[in-house]
Amino acid sequence: MTEKELKWRKSLSKYRITGVVFAVLGLAVMLAGFIFEKLSNILYPFGGALVFVGMVFIIMATFFLKQKNSYKKAVAENDERNQLLYAKAGALAWQLVVSLATVVAGVLMCCNVDEVPTNSIILVLISGLFLHRVIFFVMKKY
Amino acid sequence: MKNRLEELRKQRGIRQEELAEVLEVSRQTIGSLENGRYNPSIMLAFKIAKYFNMSIEEIFIYEEE
């Protein structure tokens, strides 16, 4: 194991510990919400979010630590060409989303819809994320 | 920009995967560099030059468009 790989594994372990801290903190906040009922509306979601983020950290770090050749894969996945393509795909997806949002807004205006439905906003945003991934995948392949 | 990466790699009998591993990039990046579809960053160019024990100018040939 190279020095760089060791460093990377250590940073993953730190990542996992951070996850545990987040999860414990989240549980504490949720417990506080249980005790102080007046603040439960704020404390429950906040605590829940902390637990969720903590769990994601723990699961991801454990997954990478257990996988064989995960360091090599991570290095290859984050090399400079991939980073460049990722940024390019992001810029292109952003342009497409803005165009799509403009079209949606135009259609809504033509149909005399005064209030923008939440669904359309969410759909445009989701399509942006989806487009980003698709463009990145295509750019990587060709 | 042209480069002699493929020629040098083949001279030394190294596979793209092996070179990619040493340079800490993906195999696709090596392929793109060899095809001239991608120009490396200055850091990667230095890494490549160091690996082949040559100067950057000996590997990468600048051509005015």
Side-chain angles (χ1 to χ4, degrees):
Chain A
M1 201 180 286
T2 61
E3 200 178 312
K4 276 185 181 176
E5 191 171 350
L6 267 173
K7 233 179 180 180
W8 185 72
R9 292 186 81 84
K10 270 185 189 173
S11 72
L12 274 180
S13 299
K14 280 182 191 170
Y15 201 63
R16 192 157 61 176
I17 293 165
T18 311
V20 173
V21 170
F22 269 45
V24 170
L25 206 67
L27 285 172
V29 170
M30 285 174 86
L31 189 71
F34 183 72
I35 296 166
F36 306 105
E37 271 183 38
K38 281 184 181 174
L39 293 171
S40 61
N41 282 351
I42 304 162
L43 293 177
Y44 271 138
F46 185 61
L50 277 174
V51 170
F52 178 75
V53 172
M55 291 308 287
V56 170
F57 274 33
I58 294 166
I59 292 166
M60 282 185 72
T62 310
F63 174 75
F64 284 119
L65 278 169
K66 281 192 174 175
Q67 241 190 358
K68 275 185 181 176
N69 294 327
S70 58
Y71 173 70
K72 283 175 193 167
K73 279 181 194 169
V75 164
E77 197 57 37
N78 292 307
D79 79 342
E80 60 174 53
R81 181 173 157 270
N82 275 352
Q83 281 180 11
L84 185 80
L85 292 179
Y86 195 78
K88 273 187 179 177
L92 193 57
W94 172 247
Q95 280 182 351
L96 289 169
V97 166
V98 169
S99 310
L100 186 67
T102 310
V103 171
V104 170
V107 169
L108 291 173
M109 197 180 77
C110 291
C111 298
N112 288 324
V113 179
D114 292 330
E115 286 177 22
V116 180
T118 321
N119 289 355
S120 57
I121 298 170
I122 291 169
L123 278 173
V124 167
L125 292 175
I126 290 173
S127 65
L129 288 173
F130 181 70
L131 273 172
H132 186 196
R133 299 310 302 182
V134 171
I135 295 166
F136 179 55
F137 179 77
V138 173
M139 278 180 161
K140 248 170 78 171
K141 287 278 170 200
Y142 306 101
Chain B
M1 187 163 65
K2 277 187 179 175
N3 68 69
R4 297 172 54 212
L5 197 60
E6 190 175 5
E7 175 199 330
L8 294 167
R9 178 178 63 77
K10 284 182 176 168
Q11 265 177 15
R12 283 161 177 76
I14 318 158
R15 285 185 295 121
Q16 281 189 342
E17 287 88 346
E18 290 166 333
L19 185 60
E21 203 179 315
V22 176
L23 298 172
E24 297 189 322
V25 294
S26 64
R27 191 197 56 78
Q28 286 85 352
T29 300
I30 300 295
S32 297
L33 282 167
E34 288 184 357
N35 292 332
R37 276 185 286 138
Y38 175 66
N39 290 326
S41 68
I42 193 76
M43 285 299 287
L44 184 55
F46 269 112
K47 268 188 180 179
I48 293 168
K50 194 181 169 190
Y51 178 76
F52 288 111
N53 209 13
M54 295 167 95
S55 66
I56 290 178
E57 292 91 336
E58 284 175 292
I59 303 171
F60 297 95
I61 303 122
Y62 174 70
E63 285 179 326
E64 281 194 48
E65 283 174 34

